Amino acid sequence: ASWRINVGAHFNLARLVMPHMQKAGKGSIIVTASNSGVFYDHEMIAYATTKHAAVAMVKQIAIDYGKFGIRVNALCPGWVDTPFNDAFTRQMGGRDALLAYVKDKIPMGRFATVEEIAESILYLASDRSSFMTGHALVIDGGECIA
């Protein structure tokens, strides 16, 4: 299931929009990856493997389709304060334990906000990133370098 969702879905959607973008002579594809696509973590083999594959796919598509004016980049957020974390919150023993974990593991000591991630998406989709392709944009408060 992880492969189908984290890699296959992006591959199939990119393949479907490519003819339209080629005809237009431009386009921007944003693949949702994760900071787990650029660093390694304990006991996350399926997730990290698929997110690394998504980042590799972005780079390959960028090489193959840049000549058509099509850009493709990976959005690689770290911890964002959303219900996606609910299972891990339960595993950790509650919200306070998760907050302590985030404070310890992330150099900036906090979650990203949904708004911060949205701003990054707007940047990647806009002409402000017109010369950016094949990049994994990591927004994780420094977790992947800690």
Side-chain angles (χ1 to χ4, degrees):
S2 291
W3 186 268
R4 188 174 70 251
I5 293 166
N6 294 337
V7 183
H10 292 293
F11 175 81
N12 288 327
L13 287 171
R15 189 176 60 188
L16 288 171
V17 300
M18 213 50 83
H20 304 286
M21 291 182 172
Q22 283 179 288
K23 185 176 179 182
K26 65 178 183 173
S28 175
I29 297 171
I30 303 166
V31 170
T32 307
S34 166
N35 67 345
S36 292
V38 297
F39 83 115
Y40 302 93
D41 204 356
H42 299 278
E43 300 177 19
M44 298 288 290
I45 190 166
Y47 188 75
T49 299
T50 61
K51 294 303 185 174
H52 273 80
V55 170
M57 180 180 62
V58 159
K59 293 175 184 235
Q60 187 63 53
I61 294 171
I63 287 170
D64 293 341
Y65 288 89
K67 63 188 169 200
F68 300 109
I70 299 168
R71 300 179 297 111
V72 59
N73 293 288
L75 179 69
C76 299
W79 288 93
V80 184
D81 199 7
T82 69
F84 182 79
N85 301 320
D86 288 352
F88 194 66
T89 301
R90 287 189 298 277
Q91 181 183 340
M92 293 290 294
R95 176 87 174 160
D96 289 341
L98 178 63
L99 290 173
Y101 176 85
V102 165
K103 186 173 175 88
D104 180 57
K105 295 292 182 188
I106 300 172
M108 292 186 78
R110 66 175 180 85
F111 287 100
T113 66
V114 171
E115 292 78 14
E116 287 170 321
I117 303 305
E119 288 295 327
S120 303
I121 294 167
L122 290 172
Y123 171 71
L124 290 174
S126 76
D127 286 341
R128 291 179 181 161
S129 62
S130 61
F131 200 60
M132 183 177 174
T133 192
H135 185 70
L137 182 60
V138 179
I139 305 139
D140 72 352
E143 181 183 21
C144 71
I145 58 171

